DNA sequence: TCCATTGTTCGAATATAATCGAACAATGGA
DNA sequence: TCCATTGTTCGATTATATTCGAACAATGGA
């Protein structure tokens, strides 16, 4: 079962994370992943966009180190890399997520 | 004495802040402003770039609500809008700044 | 084996951003 | 009044991002 490559947390730059979260669609994806607190398939996000666009955004979220995608059968299960990011950039993701849920 | 317009904190979006901080040059400007803890002129940032480029980055930082620029004579004095941003997005800017100083 | 399901990749169009020289504007001192 | 100082604005170029249809790939069930 082939898996997708992800950057090691050491290579993740803060600017990558900022960039990934500067897009409303991607911010929404991250918000939903956080709220759900479980792994979600790409298709579960009903953001009214073609799958090629969604795939593009997930690719950026992965390369920014924010999302981990595990292939299970035909589905791609996505989770937030909260613990690792919290370790490397304490408070950053947490405070962003908190701001999102209150807005 | 003519002054520059800034967005009210209510209009500032989180994506604007993320976008503004996704550029290394702008992140550096913000880091230095925070470290200095005082108002600084645009020219004080020796980032080895032409002034038109610097002006461009400051414009984006202002429109994102991150930086306030007050004109004093021929100088433009810049400060971080830390208190307002902390009020609207608690912890976000603080944690980002902390990550910067430790990196 | 066939095929529906789930996403990725490709390619091309469009949009947005970065860069920087040159011209411009405002200020204040000589 | 002249002019040096400090930044902004303009315009053009180049670079990056976004978007999405179409083709492709992998999986697993009928």
């Amino acid at each position: 079962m082939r898996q997708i490559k992800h950057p090691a947390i050491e290579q993740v730059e803060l600017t990558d994370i900022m960039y990934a979260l500067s897009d409303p669609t991607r911010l929404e994806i991250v918000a939903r992943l956080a709220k759900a607190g479980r792994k979600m398939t790409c298709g579960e996000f009903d953001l009214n966009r073609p799958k090629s666009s969604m795939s593009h955004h997930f690719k950026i979220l992965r390369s920014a180190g924010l999302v981990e995608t595990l292939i299970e059968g035909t589905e791609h299960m996505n989770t937030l890399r909260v613990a690792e990011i919290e370790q490397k950039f304490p408070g950053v993701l947490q405070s962003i997520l908190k701001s999102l849920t209150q807005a």
Side-chain angles (χ1 to χ4, degrees), chain A:
Chain A
M1 190 207 285
R2 195 70 173 288
Q3 289 295 347
I4 296 179
K5 273 248 173 186
H6 297 81
I9 191 66
E10 297 83 34
Q11 323 175 34
V12 173
E13 301 280 345
L14 193 55
T15 48
D16 297 335
I17 293 181
M18 298 293 103
Y19 164 64
L21 298 181
S22 69
D23 180 277
T25 301
R26 292 193 290 264
L27 203 52
E28 178 67 24
I29 290 172
V30 167
R32 293 203 193 183
L33 273 175
K35 193 182 175 191
R38 58 173 174 83
K39 47 191 183 180
M40 295 176 71
T41 66
C42 303
E44 271 188 280
F45 303 83
D46 249 348
L47 297 179
N48 209 30
R49 273 173 187 71
K51 55 185 183 167
S52 58
S53 298
M54 291 301 286
S55 185
H56 165 72
H57 288 304
F58 274 100
K59 190 174 190 176
I60 289 171
L61 287 170
R62 279 194 296 266
S63 71
L66 281 165
V67 165
E68 184 181 35
T69 304
L70 296 177
I71 301 178
E72 297 182 6
T74 63
E75 297 183 322
H76 290 204
M77 306 307 297
N78 301 285
T79 47
L80 272 187
R81 297 173 67 178
V82 270
E84 291 170 284
I85 293 174
E86 175 64 19
Q87 175 93 358
K88 175 143 190 192
F89 305 111
V92 173
L93 186 53
Q94 281 186 353
S95 58
I96 289 171
L97 290 173
K98 193 169 278 184
S99 284
L100 287 177
T101 55
Q102 304 192 338

